[in-house]
Amino acid sequence: MKNLSIVVFMLLFIMLGFVSVQAQSVEQQIMDHLFNAELAQADSLIDIGIKQNPNQPKYYFMKAHFNFYMRYFTQRQFDRDSILQVIIDNGEKAVSFEDDIEETIENKFWLGSAYGLLSRAYVMKGELWDGYWAALDCEDYLEDVLDEDPNYGDAYIG
């Protein structure tokens, strides 16, 4: 009986662990794949998100974010200017929905994050004024997020 109860508890523990892994959001899965250098999986999830939600800024931000870090996790050599242009194109696509989407805390976070990434890319290309204005927009959106929810930890990073 004692062995049976140990086996039951072990099975429950394993099942709960499996359920918690499955409960990860798509965004968390993308980031996990990206930072574990599983680029094909991350890119695939991002592309699925774009196809399912073509007017959602978060997936275009994630595509830009993916391209920003892709150069570190791949053996292929990419031209710096072409990668920066791809990042800017996806970042600008993300912020192009600014007037069309509902002003939720999540949307503000993704827009602010997209502007932050755009700012870095603009500065890296030497477009300092564009970088400055994008940084101001980033700050405005992320401060709005923190005003609404000071516990929204990811907004501090931006």
Side-chain angles (χ1 to χ4, degrees), residues 103-105 108-109 137-150 155:
E103 283 196 26
T104 64
I105 191 168
K108 288 178 186 178
F109 171 74
D137 289 334
C138 167
E139 183 180 34
D140 288 344
Y141 274 112
L142 295 180
E143 282 180 349
D144 284 351
V145 168
L146 293 172
D147 287 344
E148 287 182 44
D149 182 2

Side-chain angles (χ1 to χ4, degrees), residues 2-20:
K2 187 176 182 182
N3 289 339
L4 180 62
S5 63
I6 290 172
V7 169
V8 168
F9 282 119
M10 287 177 52
L11 287 173
L12 284 173
F13 181 74
I14 291 169
M15 288 173 55
L16 287 174
F18 181 73
V19 168
S20 69

Side-chain angles (χ1 to χ4, degrees), residues 21-69:
V21 168
Q22 295 295 324
Q24 272 190 329
S25 71
V26 174
E27 296 84 13
Q28 290 170 326
Q29 291 176 33
I30 290 169
M31 291 302 175
D32 285 348
H33 288 308
L34 179 60
F35 291 117
N36 286 312
E38 299 166 344
L39 298 179
Q41 295 92 329
D43 195 32
S44 175
L45 287 174
I46 293 168
D47 288 341
I48 289 169
I50 288 172
K51 283 181 185 173
Q52 291 177 346
N53 303 294
N55 297 327
Q56 177 54 257
K58 79 175 144 186
Y59 294 109
Y60 294 100
F61 160 75
M62 289 187 165
K63 190 69 158 184
H65 190 68
F66 165 82
N67 286 302
F68 191 85
Y69 290 105

Side-chain angles (χ1 to χ4, degrees), residues 76-92:
R76 296 186 339 215
Q77 295 297 320
F78 293 97
D79 177 61
R80 180 180 184 271
D81 289 335
S82 64
I83 288 292
L84 287 174
Q85 192 56 52
V86 170
I87 293 167
I88 289 170
D89 291 345
N90 283 300
E92 287 176 347

